[in-house]
Amino acid sequence: MKSFAILKTDSVRPEWAERFGEYPDMFQTVLKRANPNLQFAVYDVQLGEYPDSKDQHGAYLVTGSKAGVYEDHEWLPPLENFVRDLVQADIPLIGICFGHQLVAQALGGRVGKSDRGWGVGVHRHQWRFKPDWLAMPADDFKVLVSHQDQVQQAPVGLEVLASSD
């Protein structure tokens, strides 16, 4: 089994990192619960770190970040290019929070600040489409959120699985 690569796009506040770890630590903890045999590699893309080859890993995860995907950061264009290369190569990829916004923007979607301001707390999300592999019987679910950015238009050819008000 190939390893799972985590593309780190931010650091946890120092006062929290000691207790909770960095973003890659958090994802590794959760994913190892599902499969204790998973092996991980971490790349700090803000520092320009990437694998030697996109095929080096079996799947990729883009973490959350305080940055906005539409902001002017030197590290964002190379990350968007890398994401497009992964998608073109049909390599599994998941984006969490900022990561999903970055994937959407890299593939031609539109991301911006919500005109409703910040979303904070537990929010209800509704399934718009439930794939066969998803074993969740409820029509909605709750997620803890802290964001003001949102995917405002999904990329052509991608299907939105769930959304919230």
Side-chain angles (χ1 to χ4, degrees):
M1 172 187 339
K2 286 186 176 181
S3 58
F4 197 106
I6 298 176
L7 304 177
K8 180 180 177 230
T9 62
D10 203 353
S11 293
V12 173
R13 292 174 60 139
E15 63 268 27
W16 298 342
E18 187 175 312
R19 179 170 179 199
F20 301 107
E22 287 289 343
Y23 292 119
D25 302 319
M26 296 174 199
F27 289 114
Q28 289 177 51
T29 298
V30 169
L31 293 170
K32 278 193 172 264
R33 285 185 195 146
N35 183 347
N37 298 318
L38 282 176
Q39 298 296 313
F40 296 91
V42 176
Y43 301 92
D44 190 331
V45 297
Q46 288 184 310
L47 299 177
E49 295 176 2
Y50 288 90
D52 294 331
S53 165
K54 65 183 175 296
D55 299 325
Q56 189 173 336
H57 304 286
Y60 287 81
L61 180 147
V62 182
T63 70
S65 177
K66 291 181 289 295
V69 300
Y70 45 76
E71 294 173 354
D72 185 25
H73 298 287
E74 289 182 13
W75 56 274
L76 283 173
L79 179 56
E80 287 189 27
N81 288 335
F82 189 74
V83 161
R84 284 189 285 272
D85 289 346
L86 292 173
V87 171
Q88 182 69 30
D90 203 27
I91 296 172
L93 167 68
I94 185 166
I96 306 295
C97 197
F98 166 91
H100 107 278
Q101 295 164 10
L102 181 109
V103 170
Q105 180 171 290
L107 300 178
R110 189 176 72 248
V111 177
K113 291 189 183 301
S114 171
D115 58 4
R116 296 177 68 187
W118 279 87
V120 178
V122 178
H123 287 217
R124 184 175 305 279
H125 293 69
Q126 295 78 35
W127 292 109
R128 293 174 68 182
F129 169 77
K130 284 204 297 195
D132 294 336
W133 52 263
L134 186 62
M136 290 182 69
D139 291 332
D140 60 6
F141 59 97
K142 294 178 182 176
V143 175
L144 180 63
V145 302
S146 175
H147 62 89
Q148 62 180 334
D149 293 346
Q150 63 184 3
V151 175
Q152 296 172 335
Q153 180 179 344
V156 173
L158 294 185
E159 189 160 15
V160 176
L161 297 181
S163 63
S164 69
D165 291 339

